[in-house]
Amino acid sequence: MIFKYIKYAKQHIYKGLNFSNFLSIFAAIYTYYILNKMADDILKKIIAHSKEYGFIFQSSELYDGLSAVYDYGQNGTELKNNIKTYWWNAMVRLHENIVGIDSAIFMHPTIWKASGHVDAFNDPLIDNKDSKKRYRADVLIEEHREKLYQKIEKEIEKAQKRFGDAFDEQQFRTTNANVLRNQEKIDTLTARFVKALEDSNLDELRQIIVDAGIVCPISGTANWADVRQFNLMFETKLGATAEGASTIYLRPETAQGIFVNYLNVQKTGRMRIPFGIAQIGKAFRNEIVARQFVFRMREFEQMEMQFFVRPNTEMEWFETWKEARLKWHKALGFGDESYRYHDHEKLAHYANAACDIEFNFPMGFKELEGIHSRTDYDLAQHQEFSGKKIQYFDPELNQSYVPYVVETSIGLDRMFLSVLSKSYQEEKIENETRVVLRIPPALAPVKVAILPLVRKDGLPEIANEIRNTLSLNYNCQYDEKDSIGKRYRRQDAIGTPLCITVDHQTKEDGMVTIRDRDTMKQNRVAISELPQITESKVSMNTLLTQLL
Ligand code: ATP
């Protein structure tokens, strides 16, 4: 691996470069190598842990797997369902004017013509001729730019340490030669990149990659083929006979199922603008590069909400939803520094504003959720292609119009990865390492584990009674195998917030030991107190009340 970085360093050495300059270039590249490797290692650990503890399995593993498709195991499914509930309750239950639907995956093919997906749902791909690996040209450029940002941040961090309280970040940013040089590179790169995207200039995209010295991470070379467009929609046939069958698509987003049901929901629900329609469901994209585990999949789930508003009010709603969605993420307690906004440089054909909420994944800041102001594009297109009037009569304005739309769209699987990657921790305790998932308790797959100290003397019976009571409200696990220490470790590894141990003393005083996952503290409490203690620890309401 390191050789490809040396090769990269060599490519950047020009005649007359002295040894100390060479060393500093090499040190910088080596730092990248280490950082990349650390990110890789963390991701690898999460992948291995997910498999070992029943969170995520490679799809069709028995047949050597299917690329970028994954199955959720027993604990993964619980965690995923809890994330869905958190989203659904925050969006639908807490908003009087938002309702939820569940539309079909198969839809009339003209819908995708109207939405623009047949003609424009493309990604620019580029092949490296040496490694034969395929990349998304826009992602290569964005990742290169992110590295330049990181260089600036590192420089600032170093200076901050050096100057302490006397450090003036603004002054440093505007005077330090290294920062200025990298900022200029970023600005030039961004300007060219945006223009190339706007002009759909594929040759220029390739040229930017070449000029920036971006190399293939596998071969280490800049031997790039031409950039080509690639449509991401999966096609299939609907109909019994080959002649009579028509081509339909697996939906690449859930949003269109909402748009084509706009009239149904508005009328039957007597909804008044502004109002929203939410949906959770599968989406399919034939991604060119599907790496990084469940971050980029070919079959994935989206949680989307389309908010219908009066024309010219969409920018206010766009800001409102940006804030509301960030608050939803931050309530999980992973630290405000884990999130940032990223405004889109190039807007999609339907949007007049777009912003991503990015999350600091093991591989760096990447898109977790998109908030888009989609104008009246989709409804107007469906009106035109279907020939049916899709309008809203606004009694306050005494006027009809095609509503404008602000969308919030989050990938459930990416959300899952964000939770898992921030929760995964290895801790040294005494002579061993404990792997613990510090999943927010409301999202944890198993809320309570009930453990009889021994498998006899009536302890399993008491433990089962406790389990039966708590199971009415929470997902519980009963475990009687191995030592208590080993059982605690197993529960830590799947993120169970509370463990309850039943021992001989319980038979006499009706008390049990309750152990907290995070502090590892143990307390004696009465069995009768367990429902209330559990509720205060794992209730989803602790998250939801932060959003009110
Ligand atoms: P990207 O730029 O990463 O390809 P996108 O901008 O195409 O994403 P959107 O079309 O805005 O994504 O989709 C909304 C959300 O759906 C994204 O923020 C992401 O969380 C999720 N998502 C999109 N594509 C995938 C995928 N292939 N696998 C998993 N989640 C995805």
Side-chain angles (χ1 to χ4, degrees), residues 41 317 368 422:
D41 287 350
W317 285 111
L368 172 58
K422 275 284 181 267

Side-chain angles (χ1 to χ4, degrees), residues 68 117 121 123 136 138-139 142 232 252-253 283-287 289-290 293-304 344 350 356-357 361 366-372 374 407-415:
H117 283 81
F121 195 52
D123 275 344
R136 257 175 69 174
D138 55 335
V139 171
E142 279 166 3
L232 302 182
E253 63 174 27
F284 305 82
R285 295 182 187 177
N286 196 3
E287 296 281 357
V289 184
F293 199 33
V294 293
F295 180 83
R296 194 172 294 288
M297 302 157 83
R298 297 201 163 104
E299 173 181 339
F300 59 101
E301 244 174 303
Q302 287 186 313
M303 306 191 285
E304 294 198 302
H344 282 208
Y350 51 75
D356 294 337
I357 294 176
F361 286 98
K366 302 244 173 222
E367 173 178 345
L368 172 58
E369 170 157 10
I371 294 104
H372 311 124
R374 292 182 79 128
E407 160 186 85
T408 71
S409 173
I410 175 169
L412 176 54
D413 312 270
R414 278 192 198 177
M415 186 62 205

